[in-house]
Amino acid sequence: MRAEDAEVFSRAIAAVKGEGRYRVFADIQREQGRFPHAKLRMADGSRRDIVVWCSNDYLGQGQSPEVISAMHAAACKVGAGSGGTRNISGTTSYHVDLEAELAQLHGKESALLFTSGYVSNDATLSTFGKLFPDLWIFSDELNHASMIEGIRRAKATVRVFRHNDLQHLESLLNEAPPGAPKLIAFESVYSMDADVAPIGAICDIAEAYGAMTYLDEVHGVGLYGEGGGGIAERDGQMHRVDFIEGTLAKAFGVMGGYVTGPSAAIDAIRSFAPGFIFTTSLAPSLAAAALESVRLVRACPHMRTRLAERAERLKQMFADAGLPVMPSTTHIVPLLVGDAALCKQISDTLLFDHGIYVQPINYPTVPRGTERLRFTPSPFHDDALMEKLLDALVAVWAQLNLERAA
Ligand code: PLP
């Protein structure tokens, strides 16, 4: 490598460090059966106990004995990897059964598996652009990076509407020729701001303008709705949304992504999306574990009730202590810090002095000046853990001379 090329890498890193948002990964070892407890590997190689407060394993399903045993059984029965792309020997009964289960979960005709939620958004949205050369896409400004990337690669005419702003969405829809194919892409739960989309109202608008709807339920699936179908199910709107996309890595605690929708559309995505076609399919053990997890989560509404109760309790505790908890109508509990370096300092102090792991959320994940700590209580974060967290936060706020509301 030429010295001037190496310099480009170093300068990029120096800039990130200068802004105080250089990412340092905590090296943790989750402990099977003890979620949310884990061990942190220190610089000297020793390990210390920590409690994880920022996991997206929202229901602790990654530690469920049934899910682990399904994974284990599949690996013992059929081996470690799938051995190919879906088209070339990589489709197993686990994949097929999981797709059927996911279609049912969202009340859709078909489902298609991908290797992650990121890939499902990127591959599907970019393929829409191939299938509809004159497509117009209307995208919420807070959509996830995977949707933005897929939309960018769709090479469609793109309009970005202000977050959850229905009037703005409508005014942009009016710019499109009435006969043009249109797609509204949005999320159900916006995981950094902890708010939800007005799905019913967006479907009303979509119907009025003849637009298709594409909903990312990554942070809603498993957690809302009687059967865990997500916010769309909770709001009675699931049947009105054309495409529902989700992940197997958060509420279901495993790995992988998917999109559900009408059979003909899913068949077309299956046939045209390079991100689906040209990659090895999920390991059968992952598909088996995810299948078990989806079945369990669908059948256990009490997990969702408990999660909601835990999140409400934590929000109330933060508010009562005068901590800057951001408004949240979901299971996600963000605390506003508003400065990248400070956010990292609070996170480091919590981790090294109190054994509490909550990752700083900085730009580009959130806008500069809105840096925050994002807490994700699960059904397994009990009252004692919450009290310890609160005590630690109050101590850190005092140590760093940060303001608390009266
Ligand atoms: N969509 C949203 C809204 C997300 O927040 C994420 C990841 O956090 C993804 C998609 C990607 O999902 P996965 O982690 O399964 O790749």
Side-chain angles (χ1 to χ4, degrees):
M1 189 187 294
R2 298 180 310 166
E4 58 267 44
D5 294 336
E7 184 56 26
V8 172
F9 296 114
S10 309
R11 268 204 310 273
I13 290 300
V16 173
K17 283 187 173 162
E19 285 183 42
R21 58 183 185 88
Y22 179 66
R23 291 168 195 221
V24 180
F25 299 151
D27 174 349
I28 64 169
Q29 189 171 301
R30 297 189 352 134
E31 300 191 301
Q32 200 233 300
R34 290 195 66 226
F35 184 74
H37 296 271
K39 293 251 191 278
L40 173 72
R41 182 152 58 173
M42 309 297 284
D44 63 3
S46 64
R47 294 196 184 265
R48 64 168 290 190
D49 288 323
I50 57 164
V51 174
V52 179
W53 274 99
C54 55
S55 175
N56 283 339
D57 187 354
Y58 292 131
L59 297 173
Q61 283 291 95
Q63 303 291 328
S64 149
E66 292 92 340
V67 172
I68 296 167
S69 107
M71 180 178 263
H72 194 241
C76 290
K77 197 167 169 192
V78 303
S82 75
T85 65
R86 285 294 295 274
N87 193 40
I88 308 179
S89 89
T91 295
T92 70
S93 308
Y94 301 109
H95 298 88
V96 174
D97 293 351
L98 178 54
E99 284 176 340
E101 186 77 21
L102 292 166
Q104 269 184 27
L105 171 70
H106 293 293
K108 301 290 171 219
E109 289 173 358
S110 286
L112 194 63
L113 280 173
F114 295 83
T115 44
S116 74
Y118 187 103
V119 174
S120 53
N121 275 333
D122 181 39
T124 304
L125 288 165
S126 56
T127 300
F128 275 117
K130 271 195 200 161
L131 297 168
F132 298 89
D134 48 350
L135 182 65
W136 283 60
I137 301 182
F138 301 85
S139 172
D140 188 288
E141 68 176 333
L142 292 191
N143 276 343
H144 187 254
S146 54
M147 298 172 81
I148 295 171
E149 193 54 24
I151 290 169
R152 191 184 64 74
R153 296 196 310 105
K155 300 200 177 91
T157 306
V158 179
R159 293 288 181 271
V160 176
F161 59 96
R162 285 190 292 273
H163 178 52
N164 279 349
D165 186 332
L166 300 174
Q167 275 185 345
H168 193 216
L169 170 61
E170 250 193 295
S171 74
L172 295 176
L173 278 158
N174 276 317
E175 289 181 16
K182 304 174 196 72
L183 178 78
I184 304 174
F186 61 115
E187 298 182 21
S188 61
V189 173
Y190 289 86
S191 81
M192 294 300 152
D193 289 82
D195 63 343
V196 302
I199 299 177
I202 291 179
C203 288
D204 291 344
I205 293 177
E207 282 164 18
Y209 286 82
M212 298 178 281
T213 43
Y214 180 98
L215 176 64
D216 175 315
E217 279 272 20
V218 159
H219 295 277
V221 69
L223 309 177
Y224 300 91
E226 182 55 28
I231 298 281
E233 185 190 8
R234 183 197 73 180
D235 292 356
Q237 304 297 323
M238 203 156 69
H239 61 290
R240 297 181 72 199
V241 179
D242 293 306
F243 299 94
I244 297 184
E245 181 271 346
T247 183
L248 301 168
K250 301 189 195 295
F252 300 126
V254 187
M255 190 184 181
Y258 62 88
V259 63
T260 64
S263 290
I266 297 298
D267 202 17
I269 296 161
R270 188 183 72 87
S271 308
F272 285 89
F276 173 80
I277 300 170
F278 298 106
T279 187
T280 300
S281 62
L282 281 178
S285 54
L286 289 174
L291 178 59
E292 179 65 22
S293 189
V294 175
R295 285 180 177 154
L296 281 173
V297 168
R298 286 185 78 190
C300 294
H302 69 265
M303 288 186 191
R304 292 180 268 289
T305 316
R306 167 86 176 156
L307 178 71
E309 181 276 324
R310 292 287 81 194
E312 285 317 306
R313 178 163 167 78
L314 193 64
K315 287 177 214 171
Q316 194 57 54
M317 286 168 72
F318 284 179
D320 291 347
L323 292 165
V325 60
M326 296 170 71
S328 160
T329 54
T330 66
H331 59 285
I332 295 160
V333 186
L335 267 193
L336 185 66
V337 177
D339 177 90
L342 184 58
C343 204
K344 170 132 178 53
Q345 192 182 2
I346 299 172
S347 164
D348 284 348
T349 312
L350 285 169
L351 184 60
F352 297 116
D353 294 357
H354 300 272
I356 284 170
Y357 176 37
V358 58
Q359 186 64 24
I361 308 287
N362 289 340
Y363 177 82
T365 309
V366 295
R368 288 191 174 90
T370 70
E371 291 81 0
R372 65 200 66 172
L373 299 168
R374 174 182 174 275
F375 296 87
T376 51
S378 75
F380 299 97
H381 289 81
D382 60 19
D383 285 349
L385 291 180
M386 287 194 179
E387 295 294 344
K388 272 193 193 153
L389 170 65
L390 188 68
D391 290 348
L393 280 168
V394 167
V396 173
W397 245 247
Q399 185 183 338
L400 299 178
N401 285 322
L402 303 175
E403 264 183 39
R404 284 199 280 144

